Structure formats: structure tokens, C-alpha cells
Amino acid sequence: MDNNVPSVDQSDRGVPINLRQSGPTPVEMLIDTRVRKSPYWELSMQQGCWRASIYNRMYHPRGYIPREEGGMMAEYQPLVNDVTLWNVAVERQIQVKGPDAEAFVNYVITRDATKIPVMRARYVILCNEAGGILNDPILLRVAIDEFWFSLSDTDLMLWLQGVNVGKKFDVTIQEIDVAPVQVQGPKSVDVIADLVGEEARELPSYGLMDAQVGGRDVIISQTGFTGEKGYEIYLRDATKYAEDMWNAVLAAGIPYNLRVVAPSHHRRIAAGILSWGQDMDFETLPFQVNLGYQVPRKKEADYIGKERLEEVRAQLEAGNPPYKTQLVGLVLGGNPITDYAPDFWLVSDTPEGEAVGYVTSPWYSPELESNIAMAHVPVAQAELGTEFWVHLPEPYADTPGVPVRAEVVEMPFRPSVNPNQRERLKVKGLDAAI
């Protein structure tokens, strides 16, 4: 019997229920069986996790270093200077497999799935018929007839299965027992190379490779939720082998000062990387949040939302945007924002004016020595240099009750080591993905 799992036969399940006994954990939320624990949950507890949120109906570790020791800003330092390990098993993996896998995926994503080579990944979006963004996963093509959707925070499996009830593509659509971690930071390439060999140094951005970590089968991608050099390790049979892979990464990271931390939202904000549920949702059109490049001009095949999205593009080019707000980057005053915002803070166009927009993702940038944020503001006031006023709560406001000045600036806020697709296309003067 493998000593990594309890002696309970769950061979009839695709993703076994996590039976490892974690016990009470030091987070200020109810931990019960209604929300799933990932295979790495108690391993995160061993590393000092003290708080969590829920993401894709799973518990998500969101803090390791105590507030009194610097909290999230202290966690930021190993990310930008050394290397970090993140428990991101909440990125649930939905497998689409079968003879019609490519055609099905091509129908549900906006980009052209036929142009994705085997063992490559892409950042993609899926929209509903109204053009609203349902999810913005990383899509892995692991075989000619097999794709994995590595999900952001919406339950996409039910949507995919529902779509196919009517369409009847020859595919199976199911969650699989694969759970990722992220290894992020400037020394991540050294850790990965020590784990799987020097060939890992040649892995291109969004490239995939089969490997073993801790003696267990994985797929490694050069991707991540930062602008830093970074990788994700997708562990197969994760319910069985979580400890083997996790402990191997920890051991390989010792020479490079690896630290287990929570996902760094301050770094992803600086890189202009969006977070579903904060910066966009089901009713957000791609063009509103700088994802117009995800709507191709030359994709001939039909896909869900195509008619509406092409109609919206035509309206935009005619100067008649069919929505009221645009996501922009702001540099703003106030005291350093050093933790997650509990609310969508309001934005006015004058110090005394009524609210005209709202901040979605704020944080303090040590490199810029300023607070930065993404915010939805009126379309007509989205130009670079436009002045706004943000109503910060205590303790971030300079003066309680008095808004701080903000200015619309370019995103990303600072250069990325791993530029995302939008950054690369912008350099080339392009606006649409293929």
C-alpha cells in the first residue's frame, strides 16, 4: 500500500476525496467538508499558513508570514529576489479528451485552438453568447486529442459539459486528479533545472515538458501569476503523491532560499495580470479589460460569443462603445496598501464629486514607491494622464474621509521578466491573438 494515502479504496472515483487528516487549522474561517481541501492543504499548514479564502470551491492558502512580521509585503521579497513555492491546487484541471477535442475546444474559446501545438499552453478566455467572460484559464495541449483547462475562479466544467449536451462532440469532459503548484521568482529556473535537468532552461514561455519530480509524473509549464520568471508543476495522481513532489521542490529550493508563500497579487497587478472576480466577471466584455487581443480577426470557425464580440468590435471602431466603464491602471497616493482590499473602493473625478468608478485590485509597489491599482472608470475618461480621486479607508488615507489623487497610467506598471501575450503583441503593434 502506498504510504502517501489512507488505506481506503477510492478507485471508483476520478478525483478521490482528500482523506488526509489535517485537523483544526489556524485560519479565521470555518473548515468543514462542504468545501474541498486540496492535496497540499496540510502541507501548507506545515509551512505556517494562517489564513485562507475559497477559490473554485476549494480552500486557498492566502498568507504565511504573520502580519507582525511583515505579512504579504514580506512574502513579496523572496518572490522578486529569490524563489517561491505556491499552493495553487485551486486551479482545477478540466480535461477535454477524444477525437473531437480540438474542434470542441475551438468552439468554446475565442482564440484559434487549431494553432496550438502539442505540448504548448496558451492564456485563453471563454465567453457566453453575450460576450461576457466566463473564465480566463491557462489551456494546456498535452496531446493531439487532449487539452487541460487550468481554471481561474469559476466552475467551468459544468458549462463545458452543458455545451456538449446539445453539440455532442465526441469527447469526454471531466475533472482529473492533477494539482499544480507554482515555482516563481528569478531563481525558479535554477530550482526547476536541478529537479528535472538542464533542458528545462530551454523551455520557452508557455512551453510544456513531461518530467518526474520526487519520482512522480508531472507536466511542467513556463507560466505563472506574476511578471517574474516562473513555472507551474502539474502533478498527476496528486491525491496520492502530493508529499513526494512538494518535498522534492522544498529540498531543491534550499540552496536558493526558497520560501512557501501565497500568490502575490501585488506582483500580478504590477504586471497587468487580471484576476477573475476582481477585475472582470460574467458581464464583462474582453474589450473592457484590455483583452481585445483575445478576440481574433481571422478565426473563421464559429465559437460561443463570436457574433456579439465582432459586433462590439465594430461598435468600438465606429466610436460607440456599448459599455460604460474601462479597466485602467492608476498610480495613487495614500499610505502604502499592504494587504488585500476588503471592498471595491470608490473613484471620483473630483475630490468632492460623486463616485464614477471603482478600484478592483490595489497594492503598494516597492519598486515604484507608490500605490498602484486597476480600476474601472468611465470610458470617456480612460485616457492616460486623466486625474481621479480614490476614496481610501483608514489606515490608507492620508486624511480620513479625504480622497487621494490618482492618475491613469500605462499597464503593466513595470516591465515583466516573462511578458504576457498582451505585452508581446503590443510591442509588435498587434491587437488580436491568433
PDB file of all heavy atoms in Angstrom, residues 331-359:
ATOM      1  N   VAL A 331      -1.916  55.102 -10.714  1.00  0.00           N
ATOM      2  CA  VAL A 331      -0.952  55.369  -9.652  1.00  0.00           C
ATOM      3  C   VAL A 331      -1.637  56.334  -8.700  1.00  0.00           C
ATOM      4  O   VAL A 331      -2.186  57.354  -9.139  1.00  0.00           O
ATOM      5  CB  VAL A 331       0.350  55.974 -10.204  1.00  0.00           C
ATOM      6  CG1 VAL A 331       1.237  56.459  -9.063  1.00  0.00           C
ATOM      7  CG2 VAL A 331       1.099  54.934 -11.037  1.00  0.00           C
ATOM      8  N   LEU A 332      -1.650  56.010  -7.417  1.00  0.00           N
ATOM      9  CA  LEU A 332      -2.420  56.814  -6.474  1.00  0.00           C
ATOM     10  C   LEU A 332      -1.655  57.073  -5.194  1.00  0.00           C
ATOM     11  O   LEU A 332      -0.688  56.366  -4.868  1.00  0.00           O
ATOM     12  CB  LEU A 332      -3.760  56.137  -6.155  1.00  0.00           C
ATOM     13  CG  LEU A 332      -3.744  54.746  -5.529  1.00  0.00           C
ATOM     14  CD1 LEU A 332      -4.950  54.572  -4.604  1.00  0.00           C
ATOM     15  CD2 LEU A 332      -3.780  53.668  -6.613  1.00  0.00           C
ATOM     16  N   GLY A 333      -2.109  58.098  -4.495  1.00  0.00           N
ATOM     17  CA  GLY A 333      -1.480  58.488  -3.243  1.00  0.00           C
ATOM     18  C   GLY A 333      -1.968  57.649  -2.083  1.00  0.00           C
ATOM     19  O   GLY A 333      -2.514  56.569  -2.241  1.00  0.00           O
ATOM     20  N   GLY A 334      -1.757  58.186  -0.872  1.00  0.00           N
ATOM     21  CA  GLY A 334      -2.155  57.485   0.332  1.00  0.00           C
ATOM     22  C   GLY A 334      -1.011  56.722   0.950  1.00  0.00           C
ATOM     23  O   GLY A 334       0.095  56.639   0.397  1.00  0.00           O
ATOM     24  N   ASN A 335      -1.283  56.162   2.115  1.00  0.00           N
ATOM     25  CA  ASN A 335      -0.309  55.317   2.784  1.00  0.00           C
ATOM     26  C   ASN A 335      -0.226  53.966   2.073  1.00  0.00           C
ATOM     27  O   ASN A 335      -1.184  53.544   1.420  1.00  0.00           O
ATOM     28  CB  ASN A 335      -0.701  55.120   4.249  1.00  0.00           C
ATOM     29  CG  ASN A 335      -0.715  56.423   5.020  1.00  0.00           C
ATOM     30  OD1 ASN A 335       0.175  57.258   4.855  1.00  0.00           O
ATOM     31  ND2 ASN A 335      -1.727  56.615   5.852  1.00  0.00           N
ATOM     32  N   PRO A 336       0.908  53.277   2.178  1.00  0.00           N
ATOM     33  CA  PRO A 336       1.079  52.026   1.443  1.00  0.00           C
ATOM     34  C   PRO A 336      -0.033  51.012   1.724  1.00  0.00           C
ATOM     35  O   PRO A 336      -0.344  50.720   2.885  1.00  0.00           O
ATOM     36  CB  PRO A 336       2.437  51.513   1.922  1.00  0.00           C
ATOM     37  CG  PRO A 336       3.192  52.747   2.291  1.00  0.00           C
ATOM     38  CD  PRO A 336       2.157  53.673   2.874  1.00  0.00           C
ATOM     39  N   ILE A 337      -0.612  50.501   0.647  1.00  0.00           N
ATOM     40  CA  ILE A 337      -1.635  49.456   0.733  1.00  0.00           C
ATOM     41  C   ILE A 337      -0.897  48.129   0.774  1.00  0.00           C
ATOM     42  O   ILE A 337      -0.326  47.695  -0.227  1.00  0.00           O
ATOM     43  CB  ILE A 337      -2.591  49.526  -0.467  1.00  0.00           C
ATOM     44  CG1 ILE A 337      -3.289  50.889  -0.500  1.00  0.00           C
ATOM     45  CG2 ILE A 337      -3.609  48.390  -0.415  1.00  0.00           C
ATOM     46  CD1 ILE A 337      -4.018  51.175  -1.806  1.00  0.00           C
ATOM     47  N   THR A 338      -0.895  47.484   1.913  1.00  0.00           N
ATOM     48  CA  THR A 338      -0.028  46.328   2.132  1.00  0.00           C
ATOM     49  C   THR A 338      -0.787  45.029   2.340  1.00  0.00           C
ATOM     50  O   THR A 338      -0.206  44.027   2.772  1.00  0.00           O
ATOM     51  CB  THR A 338       0.885  46.578   3.342  1.00  0.00           C
ATOM     52  OG1 THR A 338       0.071  46.858   4.483  1.00  0.00           O
ATOM     53  CG2 THR A 338       1.824  47.741   3.083  1.00  0.00           C
ATOM     54  N   ASP A 339      -2.088  45.015   2.027  1.00  0.00           N
ATOM     55  CA  ASP A 339      -2.857  43.785   2.176  1.00  0.00           C
ATOM     56  C   ASP A 339      -4.051  43.839   1.231  1.00  0.00           C
ATOM     57  O   ASP A 339      -4.323  44.863   0.593  1.00  0.00           O
ATOM     58  CB  ASP A 339      -3.318  43.606   3.624  1.00  0.00           C
ATOM     59  CG  ASP A 339      -3.467  42.131   4.005  1.00  0.00           C
ATOM     60  OD1 ASP A 339      -3.544  41.280   3.086  1.00  0.00           O
ATOM     61  OD2 ASP A 339      -3.510  41.829   5.214  1.00  0.00           O
ATOM     62  N   TYR A 340      -4.774  42.723   1.158  1.00  0.00           N
ATOM     63  CA  TYR A 340      -5.920  42.629   0.263  1.00  0.00           C
ATOM     64  C   TYR A 340      -6.987  43.654   0.622  1.00  0.00           C
ATOM     65  O   TYR A 340      -7.299  43.851   1.803  1.00  0.00           O
ATOM     66  CB  TYR A 340      -6.542  41.240   0.337  1.00  0.00           C
ATOM     67  CG  TYR A 340      -5.622  40.124  -0.082  1.00  0.00           C
ATOM     68  CD1 TYR A 340      -4.940  39.359   0.870  1.00  0.00           C
ATOM     69  CD2 TYR A 340      -5.434  39.825  -1.422  1.00  0.00           C
ATOM     70  CE1 TYR A 340      -4.101  38.330   0.495  1.00  0.00           C
ATOM     71  CE2 TYR A 340      -4.594  38.797  -1.812  1.00  0.00           C
ATOM     72  CZ  TYR A 340      -3.927  38.050  -0.851  1.00  0.00           C
ATOM     73  OH  TYR A 340      -3.088  37.036  -1.217  1.00  0.00           O
ATOM     74  N   ALA A 341      -7.564  44.267  -0.387  1.00  0.00           N
ATOM     75  CA  ALA A 341      -8.664  45.202  -0.166  1.00  0.00           C
ATOM     76  C   ALA A 341      -9.938  44.420   0.138  1.00  0.00           C
ATOM     77  O   ALA A 341     -10.279  43.486  -0.601  1.00  0.00           O
ATOM     78  CB  ALA A 341      -8.863  46.079  -1.390  1.00  0.00           C
ATOM     79  N   PRO A 342     -10.658  44.787   1.191  1.00  0.00           N
ATOM     80  CA  PRO A 342     -11.891  44.073   1.512  1.00  0.00           C
ATOM     81  C   PRO A 342     -13.087  44.543   0.692  1.00  0.00           C
ATOM     82  O   PRO A 342     -14.136  43.907   0.708  1.00  0.00           O
ATOM     83  CB  PRO A 342     -12.097  44.393   2.997  1.00  0.00           C
ATOM     84  CG  PRO A 342     -11.470  45.738   3.170  1.00  0.00           C
ATOM     85  CD  PRO A 342     -10.297  45.764   2.234  1.00  0.00           C
ATOM     86  N   ASP A 343     -12.933  45.649  -0.013  1.00  0.00           N
ATOM     87  CA  ASP A 343     -14.034  46.224  -0.781  1.00  0.00           C
ATOM     88  C   ASP A 343     -13.514  46.767  -2.106  1.00  0.00           C
ATOM     89  O   ASP A 343     -12.311  46.957  -2.292  1.00  0.00           O
ATOM     90  CB  ASP A 343     -14.695  47.380  -0.010  1.00  0.00           C
ATOM     91  CG  ASP A 343     -15.301  46.936   1.302  1.00  0.00           C
ATOM     92  OD1 ASP A 343     -16.254  46.149   1.270  1.00  0.00           O
ATOM     93  OD2 ASP A 343     -14.813  47.375   2.359  1.00  0.00           O
ATOM     94  N   PHE A 344     -14.458  47.040  -3.015  1.00  0.00           N
ATOM     95  CA  PHE A 344     -14.131  47.773  -4.240  1.00  0.00           C
ATOM     96  C   PHE A 344     -14.213  49.265  -3.902  1.00  0.00           C
ATOM     97  O   PHE A 344     -15.298  49.837  -3.829  1.00  0.00           O
ATOM     98  CB  PHE A 344     -15.116  47.418  -5.357  1.00  0.00           C
ATOM     99  CG  PHE A 344     -15.032  45.993  -5.816  1.00  0.00           C
ATOM    100  CD1 PHE A 344     -15.983  45.061  -5.433  1.00  0.00           C
ATOM    101  CD2 PHE A 344     -13.993  45.584  -6.644  1.00  0.00           C
ATOM    102  CE1 PHE A 344     -15.905  43.742  -5.869  1.00  0.00           C
ATOM    103  CE2 PHE A 344     -13.906  44.264  -7.078  1.00  0.00           C
ATOM    104  CZ  PHE A 344     -14.869  43.343  -6.687  1.00  0.00           C
ATOM    105  N   TRP A 345     -13.071  49.894  -3.681  1.00  0.00           N
ATOM    106  CA  TRP A 345     -13.058  51.282  -3.257  1.00  0.00           C
ATOM    107  C   TRP A 345     -13.524  52.207  -4.374  1.00  0.00           C
ATOM    108  O   TRP A 345     -13.241  51.978  -5.561  1.00  0.00           O
ATOM    109  CB  TRP A 345     -11.647  51.670  -2.792  1.00  0.00           C
ATOM    110  CG  TRP A 345     -11.213  50.878  -1.600  1.00  0.00           C
ATOM    111  CD1 TRP A 345     -11.992  50.392  -0.590  1.00  0.00           C
ATOM    112  CD2 TRP A 345      -9.878  50.475  -1.283  1.00  0.00           C
ATOM    113  NE1 TRP A 345     -11.232  49.718   0.338  1.00  0.00           N
ATOM    114  CE2 TRP A 345      -9.933  49.752  -0.062  1.00  0.00           C
ATOM    115  CE3 TRP A 345      -8.641  50.663  -1.902  1.00  0.00           C
ATOM    116  CZ2 TRP A 345      -8.800  49.213   0.547  1.00  0.00           C
ATOM    117  CZ3 TRP A 345      -7.516  50.127  -1.310  1.00  0.00           C
ATOM    118  CH2 TRP A 345      -7.592  49.416  -0.097  1.00  0.00           C
ATOM    119  N   LEU A 346     -14.224  53.261  -3.992  1.00  0.00           N
ATOM    120  CA  LEU A 346     -14.856  54.147  -4.964  1.00  0.00           C
ATOM    121  C   LEU A 346     -13.866  55.158  -5.546  1.00  0.00           C
ATOM    122  O   LEU A 346     -12.906  55.565  -4.892  1.00  0.00           O
ATOM    123  CB  LEU A 346     -16.033  54.866  -4.326  1.00  0.00           C
ATOM    124  CG  LEU A 346     -17.174  53.953  -3.846  1.00  0.00           C
ATOM    125  CD1 LEU A 346     -18.248  54.765  -3.155  1.00  0.00           C
ATOM    126  CD2 LEU A 346     -17.748  53.149  -5.003  1.00  0.00           C
ATOM    127  N   VAL A 347     -14.173  55.591  -6.775  1.00  0.00           N
ATOM    128  CA  VAL A 347     -13.341  56.543  -7.505  1.00  0.00           C
ATOM    129  C   VAL A 347     -14.224  57.692  -7.972  1.00  0.00           C
ATOM    130  O   VAL A 347     -15.304  57.470  -8.527  1.00  0.00           O
ATOM    131  CB  VAL A 347     -12.675  55.873  -8.728  1.00  0.00           C
ATOM    132  CG1 VAL A 347     -11.912  56.900  -9.562  1.00  0.00           C
ATOM    133  CG2 VAL A 347     -11.752  54.743  -8.292  1.00  0.00           C
ATOM    134  N   SER A 348     -13.772  58.934  -7.741  1.00  0.00           N
ATOM    135  CA  SER A 348     -14.474  60.133  -8.204  1.00  0.00           C
ATOM    136  C   SER A 348     -13.595  60.888  -9.181  1.00  0.00           C
ATOM    137  O   SER A 348     -12.367  60.711  -9.202  1.00  0.00           O
ATOM    138  CB  SER A 348     -14.809  61.054  -7.023  1.00  0.00           C
ATOM    139  OG  SER A 348     -15.620  60.393  -6.071  1.00  0.00           O
ATOM    140  N   ASP A 349     -14.215  61.761  -9.994  1.00  0.00           N
ATOM    141  CA  ASP A 349     -13.389  62.548 -10.924  1.00  0.00           C
ATOM    142  C   ASP A 349     -13.038  63.924 -10.363  1.00  0.00           C
ATOM    143  O   ASP A 349     -12.280  64.669 -10.993  1.00  0.00           O
ATOM    144  CB  ASP A 349     -14.043  62.667 -12.298  1.00  0.00           C
ATOM    145  CG  ASP A 349     -15.473  63.171 -12.243  1.00  0.00           C
ATOM    146  OD1 ASP A 349     -15.912  63.615 -11.159  1.00  0.00           O
ATOM    147  OD2 ASP A 349     -16.148  63.126 -13.291  1.00  0.00           O
ATOM    148  N   THR A 350     -13.574  64.268  -9.207  1.00  0.00           N
ATOM    149  CA  THR A 350     -13.153  65.465  -8.456  1.00  0.00           C
ATOM    150  C   THR A 350     -13.131  65.079  -6.986  1.00  0.00           C
ATOM    151  O   THR A 350     -13.799  64.118  -6.575  1.00  0.00           O
ATOM    152  CB  THR A 350     -14.115  66.652  -8.661  1.00  0.00           C
ATOM    153  OG1 THR A 350     -15.395  66.325  -8.094  1.00  0.00           O
ATOM    154  CG2 THR A 350     -14.269  66.998 -10.142  1.00  0.00           C
ATOM    155  N   PRO A 351     -12.409  65.829  -6.164  1.00  0.00           N
ATOM    156  CA  PRO A 351     -12.346  65.469  -4.735  1.00  0.00           C
ATOM    157  C   PRO A 351     -13.713  65.441  -4.063  1.00  0.00           C
ATOM    158  O   PRO A 351     -13.946  64.635  -3.155  1.00  0.00           O
ATOM    159  CB  PRO A 351     -11.440  66.554  -4.136  1.00  0.00           C
ATOM    160  CG  PRO A 351     -10.613  67.030  -5.277  1.00  0.00           C
ATOM    161  CD  PRO A 351     -11.496  66.952  -6.481  1.00  0.00           C
ATOM    162  N   GLU A 352     -14.625  66.312  -4.497  1.00  0.00           N
ATOM    163  CA  GLU A 352     -15.928  66.394  -3.848  1.00  0.00           C
ATOM    164  C   GLU A 352     -17.020  65.699  -4.655  1.00  0.00           C
ATOM    165  O   GLU A 352     -18.183  65.685  -4.245  1.00  0.00           O
ATOM    166  CB  GLU A 352     -16.337  67.863  -3.650  1.00  0.00           C
ATOM    167  CG  GLU A 352     -15.398  68.676  -2.780  1.00  0.00           C
ATOM    168  CD  GLU A 352     -14.175  69.175  -3.553  1.00  0.00           C
ATOM    169  OE1 GLU A 352     -14.239  69.223  -4.809  1.00  0.00           O
ATOM    170  OE2 GLU A 352     -13.149  69.490  -2.900  1.00  0.00           O
ATOM    171  N   GLY A 353     -16.684  65.124  -5.809  1.00  0.00           N
ATOM    172  CA  GLY A 353     -17.695  64.596  -6.711  1.00  0.00           C
ATOM    173  C   GLY A 353     -18.240  63.247  -6.298  1.00  0.00           C
ATOM    174  O   GLY A 353     -17.707  62.558  -5.413  1.00  0.00           O
ATOM    175  N   GLU A 354     -19.298  62.858  -6.980  1.00  0.00           N
ATOM    176  CA  GLU A 354     -19.884  61.540  -6.775  1.00  0.00           C
ATOM    177  C   GLU A 354     -18.979  60.476  -7.398  1.00  0.00           C
ATOM    178  O   GLU A 354     -18.182  60.758  -8.300  1.00  0.00           O
ATOM    179  CB  GLU A 354     -21.271  61.482  -7.424  1.00  0.00           C
ATOM    180  CG  GLU A 354     -22.294  62.446  -6.826  1.00  0.00           C
ATOM    181  CD  GLU A 354     -22.655  62.079  -5.406  1.00  0.00           C
ATOM    182  OE1 GLU A 354     -22.756  60.853  -5.113  1.00  0.00           O
ATOM    183  OE2 GLU A 354     -22.817  62.994  -4.575  1.00  0.00           O
ATOM    184  N   ALA A 355     -19.140  59.266  -6.932  1.00  0.00           N
ATOM    185  CA  ALA A 355     -18.338  58.174  -7.461  1.00  0.00           C
ATOM    186  C   ALA A 355     -18.686  57.920  -8.926  1.00  0.00           C
ATOM    187  O   ALA A 355     -19.855  57.907  -9.312  1.00  0.00           O
ATOM    188  CB  ALA A 355     -18.563  56.913  -6.638  1.00  0.00           C
ATOM    189  N   VAL A 356     -17.639  57.712  -9.746  1.00  0.00           N
ATOM    190  CA  VAL A 356     -17.839  57.407 -11.166  1.00  0.00           C
ATOM    191  C   VAL A 356     -17.218  56.062 -11.546  1.00  0.00           C
ATOM    192  O   VAL A 356     -17.389  55.597 -12.672  1.00  0.00           O
ATOM    193  CB  VAL A 356     -17.238  58.517 -12.052  1.00  0.00           C
ATOM    194  CG1 VAL A 356     -17.951  59.843 -11.819  1.00  0.00           C
ATOM    195  CG2 VAL A 356     -15.729  58.647 -11.834  1.00  0.00           C
ATOM    196  N   GLY A 357     -16.488  55.459 -10.627  1.00  0.00           N
ATOM    197  CA  GLY A 357     -15.837  54.191 -10.908  1.00  0.00           C
ATOM    198  C   GLY A 357     -15.429  53.518  -9.619  1.00  0.00           C
ATOM    199  O   GLY A 357     -15.818  53.948  -8.520  1.00  0.00           O
ATOM    200  N   TYR A 358     -14.621  52.468  -9.737  1.00  0.00           N
ATOM    201  CA  TYR A 358     -14.217  51.729  -8.540  1.00  0.00           C
ATOM    202  C   TYR A 358     -12.897  51.007  -8.791  1.00  0.00           C
ATOM    203  O   TYR A 358     -12.585  50.594  -9.899  1.00  0.00           O
ATOM    204  CB  TYR A 358     -15.290  50.716  -8.127  1.00  0.00           C
ATOM    205  CG  TYR A 358     -15.680  49.749  -9.210  1.00  0.00           C
ATOM    206  CD1 TYR A 358     -15.049  48.503  -9.312  1.00  0.00           C
ATOM    207  CD2 TYR A 358     -16.670  50.055 -10.139  1.00  0.00           C
ATOM    208  CE1 TYR A 358     -15.395  47.603 -10.304  1.00  0.00           C
ATOM    209  CE2 TYR A 358     -17.015  49.160 -11.143  1.00  0.00           C
ATOM    210  CZ  TYR A 358     -16.378  47.938 -11.222  1.00  0.00           C
ATOM    211  OH  TYR A 358     -16.726  47.051 -12.218  1.00  0.00           O
ATOM    212  N   VAL A 359     -12.137  50.892  -7.730  1.00  0.00           N
ATOM    213  CA  VAL A 359     -10.867  50.176  -7.758  1.00  0.00           C
ATOM    214  C   VAL A 359     -11.146  48.682  -7.641  1.00  0.00           C
ATOM    215  O   VAL A 359     -11.951  48.249  -6.813  1.00  0.00           O
ATOM    216  CB  VAL A 359      -9.958  50.648  -6.608  1.00  0.00           C
ATOM    217  CG1 VAL A 359      -8.763  49.720  -6.445  1.00  0.00           C
ATOM    218  CG2 VAL A 359      -9.494  52.077  -6.847  1.00  0.00           C
TER     219      VAL A 359
END
